[in-house]
Amino acid sequence: MILGQSSSSRIVSHAVLVTGAIIMVFPFLWMILASLTPQSEIFDGSLLPTPTLHGAIDNYGTALSAIPLLRFMANGFVVCLAILVLQIAIAIPCGYALAKLSFPGRPILLVGVLLGLLVPVQIPTIPIYIALAKSGLLDSYAALVLPWIISVFAIFLFRQFFVTFPDEVLDAARLDGFSELSIAWRIMLPAAWPAVVSFSIFSIVAHWNDLYWPMVVITNPDMMTASLGIAYFRQAGEGAGNVGALMAGGVLVTAPLVSFFLLMQKHFIRGLVLGRH
Amino acid sequence: MALANDIPLSSLAPNTAGSYRPTRAQAQAGIILSVPATLLLVALVIGPAILVFFLSFTNASLGLAGIQFIGVANYTRMLTDPGFAQSLRNTALYVAVVVPTAIGWGLLVAVLIARSRFAVLYRTAYFLPVAASLVALATAWEAILHPSLGFANTLLQLLGASPVRFLSDPATAIYALAAIGVWQLVGFNMILFLAGLSTIPEELYEAATIDGADRGLKRFLLVTWPMLAPVTVFVTVMTIIRAFSVFETVAVLTQGGPMKSTSVVLYTFYEEGFRFFRVGYASAISVSFFVFVTFLSLVQMRVSERRARWKANGGQ
């Protein structure tokens, strides 16, 4: 027990928690209600929007037809998946080598990784943008994916995980004729599975929701990701001023991630806590 | 590989990479496995960071052909530019509102949740904003804060107050964004505090009870708060960095307006670098940003180190 408890303090604490929880959930609730309400009735002076069937059909219809929302979501999905797979493919072997193999340059690489952890993501973006522009790669999946395939955080996380792995098991595997590469994939990856899951959720949430980088490298609506698509929808075409349709788009873009989070809550929270060390 | 030697060696000193005899095959494998990461680290993080440092001393611009070294001119411009001073002030104001509120609220929620029967339910509710698409939810907030007919103003009018033009009044816009920022960060801080709380040994509370601190605030001040100090330092640094990096809500809701009242540092950097293509100047802004973040991280490391040493010396 963190605090001593009496029934009056328990009531106060519930009141505080419930009030806060309502504030946290309220924008979600409002977004869902407004997405089901006809545009003309959303701001009619009542406290909350009142959903109707034709309002729902109208709003979701507009969100899906006025802009290529499904295409935005597909783009976001492809980009997140590509980033994640490459991040893991690059970080697992490196984390294993840093934790368990001695090779020339290892101390320097370790210092590089620690330095990399300090660099805010916005710092390298100007040179990377110039490089992408010069090679004609703006407005492409490559532009959205490439800058993120090295995750210093993932290397660091996996290395921390691998350091405690018993060396005897690795020696036994080597005796059995495993190569170092197959040790990395067939022994270390499964061993690090909790860290891999935590990191995956972390990475997907970050890149699905990212607005900064897509805003920098994408101008062609066909290449927009979900977040950028919603931002674009606000300003362009039928979305501008159509709050109902905008909220329908918001629900569609938010739903996959929030349901994913609700399913994976435990892992996600573990990942955040792991990331602290 | 000298297999016969490896086994006794590693059993002498397990769990460290140093326990291996660096055989040639292993060294080779180590290099091969780490080469992709090393190259990408140099190409995408460290190299560009160094390049930005050099660019910050030039007049580089995407439209301009030649690049000239202009010394610290970008930095002096930054210090004298009233627009940048304004964005620093806006950011400072945002940070000053968001950091204490998001930390205090996160701590309060964590402490209250830790003894609640509905912990999972509360935790989920408070955490939802962290997982949600901020762009979509910022749009919902905008509608809730609608200058005349939004929920917030309807509520104010029911209570007899006059309406507030939250996002379109220069006097309130930055506070409205700060409120959204707090809303988004509380859950994140709560989780970190919950993790910290779970490491406090129950015996400390028993000891506190014997010493007479058996009720709420006393227990909190005597046991919980000091034990949470390292987590608090970490949460504070993280929250400052995240508040200092506010971007999405500004980019979506206000674009720095009205009347520059929400032009914050990162948004100014984005505009200078990617809209006006003043690469040299934008680089100087980002170098300053980096120095600030590194400084905070070093402070955090120093504090946690001192704390660890103090603990090791028998402090409690």
Side-chain angles (χ1 to χ4, degrees):
Chain A
M1 286 299 110
I2 306 301
L3 299 170
Q5 43 184 219
S6 62
S7 57
S8 65
S9 84
R10 211 182 273 173
I11 291 167
V12 172
S13 114
H14 270 303
V16 170
L17 286 174
V18 169
T19 311
I22 291 172
I23 297 174
M24 294 298 139
V25 177
F26 184 73
F28 293 90
L29 183 75
W30 198 93
M31 179 168 75
I32 294 167
L33 285 178
S35 78
L36 304 170
T37 304
Q39 164 67 12
S40 57
E41 287 163 37
I42 291 178
F43 293 114
D44 63 354
S46 54
L47 212 50
L48 289 173
T50 341
T52 64
L53 183 62
H54 82 93
I57 295 170
D58 234 40
N59 290 334
Y60 283 88
T62 309
L64 289 168
S65 63
I67 50 157
L69 192 65
L70 293 178
R71 161 108 203 191
F72 295 160
M73 291 173 70
N75 285 342
F77 183 76
V78 168
V79 166
C80 284
L81 195 69
I83 290 175
L84 179 65
V85 168
L86 289 166
Q87 278 176 335
I88 289 177
I90 289 158
I92 289 273
C94 181
Y96 167 61
L98 281 177
K100 292 296 185 186
L101 302 172
S102 352
F103 58 93
R106 194 180 72 131
I108 299 170
L109 180 55
L110 203 54
V111 170
V113 167
L114 292 174
L115 277 180
L117 279 175
L118 279 178
V119 179
V121 293
Q122 294 85 10
I123 301 295
T125 50
I126 288 184
I128 293 176
Y129 174 81
I130 296 173
L132 289 168
K134 292 241 151 110
S135 42
L137 283 173
L138 295 179
D139 272 322
S140 70
Y141 286 133
L144 288 166
V145 172
L146 268 178
W148 310 114
I149 61 178
I150 181 84
S151 168
V152 187
F153 173 63
I155 296 174
F156 184 74
L157 183 69
F158 294 145
R159 181 197 172 262
Q160 297 301 89
F161 221 81
F162 292 155
V163 163
T164 56
F165 192 84
D167 288 334
E168 291 77 9
V169 178
L170 300 179
D171 287 331
R174 288 186 188 116
L175 270 174
D176 285 345
F178 274 65
S179 72
E180 297 298 330
L181 189 65
S182 59
I183 288 179
W185 289 121
R186 290 167 58 191
I187 298 175
M188 301 316 276
L189 178 67
W193 198 244
V196 171
V197 171
S198 305
F199 173 73
S200 305
I201 302 168
F202 202 77
S203 166
I204 291 170
V205 170
H207 293 290
W208 180 265
N209 289 337
D210 185 29
L211 176 68
Y212 171 76
W213 187 244
M215 218 165 121
V216 166
V217 293
I218 301 297
T219 48
N220 175 1
D222 280 347
M223 294 308 300
M224 287 181 176
T225 56
S227 280
L228 182 60
I230 290 292
Y232 163 78
F233 189 19
R234 285 171 47 89
Q235 279 141 2
E238 293 180 52
N242 189 341
V243 176
L246 210 53
M247 290 299 102
V251 169
L252 292 174
V253 163
T254 309
L257 215 63
V258 166
S259 28
F260 182 60
F261 159 70
L262 291 176
L263 280 174
M264 309 289 272
Q265 213 184 134
K266 268 201 176 135
H267 295 287
F268 185 56
I269 285 163
R270 249 190 70 134
L272 287 177
V273 177
L274 267 179
R276 220 165 68 66
H277 298 296
Chain B
M1 279 202 296
L3 289 172
N5 284 340
D6 270 8
I7 295 157
L9 260 180
S10 56
S11 59
L12 276 177
N15 296 344
T16 53
S19 67
Y20 280 107
R21 266 185 39 156
T23 64
R24 187 188 268 211
Q26 225 182 66
Q28 233 172 33
I31 291 172
I32 293 170
L33 292 183
S34 59
V35 150
T38 310
L39 291 179
L40 289 167
L41 185 67
V42 171
L44 294 173
V45 182
I46 292 173
I50 294 171
L51 209 58
V52 161
F53 183 71
F54 281 109
L55 285 172
S56 75
F57 297 104
T58 71
N59 65 351
S61 156
L62 267 193
L64 242 62
I67 291 185
Q68 282 177 332
F69 270 86
I70 54 169
V72 293
N74 285 322
Y75 291 93
T76 46
R77 182 183 154 197
M78 212 168 76
L79 293 174
T80 52
D81 176 4
F84 187 76
Q86 170 87 42
S87 77
L88 263 186
R89 271 198 305 274
N90 294 338
T91 313
L93 198 59
Y94 182 91
V95 170
V97 175
V98 168
V99 170
T101 321
I103 294 174
W105 195 353
L107 176 64
L108 178 72
V109 171
V111 169
L112 295 182
I113 277 187
R115 63 165 187 168
S116 168
R117 266 182 301 160
F118 306 104
V120 178
L121 211 64
Y122 284 132
R123 206 184 58 193
T124 307
Y126 282 88
F127 202 76
L128 270 187
V130 184
S133 158
L134 191 52
V135 176
L137 269 303
T139 309
W141 270 110
E142 184 185 38
I144 293 168
L145 299 175
H146 188 282
S148 50
L149 296 164
F151 175 85
N153 274 318
T154 313
L155 203 62
L156 280 179
Q157 275 163 329
L158 281 179
L159 299 171
S162 48
V164 182
R165 297 165 65 239
F166 296 99
L167 284 163
S168 44
D169 183 342
T172 55
I174 193 80
Y175 297 102
L177 293 184
I180 302 176
V182 168
W183 169 80
Q184 222 231 342
L185 284 173
V186 168
F188 189 77
N189 291 345
M190 168 200 72
I191 290 296
L192 296 175
F193 279 124
L194 278 175
L197 286 174
S198 68
T199 63
I200 301 178
E202 191 60 32
E203 297 90 75
L204 285 181
Y205 288 108
E206 285 158 22
T209 310
I210 293 166
D211 288 349
D214 52 350
R215 289 206 301 150
L217 198 59
K218 260 191 188 165
R219 282 163 69 100
F220 178 79
L221 291 176
L222 200 68
V223 181
T224 315
W225 182 238
M227 289 302 286
L228 277 183
V231 183
T232 309
V233 174
F234 177 78
V235 171
T236 307
V237 170
M238 284 298 290
T239 312
I240 294 176
I241 293 177
R242 291 184 59 149
F244 202 77
S245 326
V246 55
F247 178 78
E248 273 93 350
T249 44
V250 176
V252 173
L253 296 181
T254 61
Q255 286 95 41
M259 289 163 68
K260 291 253 165 207
S261 64
T262 61
S263 90
V264 290
V265 170
L266 191 53
Y267 191 73
T268 308
F269 161 74
Y270 163 80
E271 280 194 316
E272 293 290 343
F274 300 108
R275 282 181 61 194
F276 310 138
F277 300 119
R278 294 183 198 125
V279 170
Y281 188 47
S283 298
I285 297 179
S286 65
V287 168
S288 316
F289 183 70
F290 173 66
V291 169
F292 175 75
V293 168
T294 309
F295 170 75
L296 280 182
S297 307
L298 290 178
V299 168
Q300 186 223 326
M301 280 200 278
R302 273 305 276 279
V303 173
S304 7
E305 235 169 59
R306 195 186 304 161
R307 176 116 195 133
R309 210 177 306 136
W310 178 67
K311 259 192 196 160
N313 290 339
Q316 10 189 305

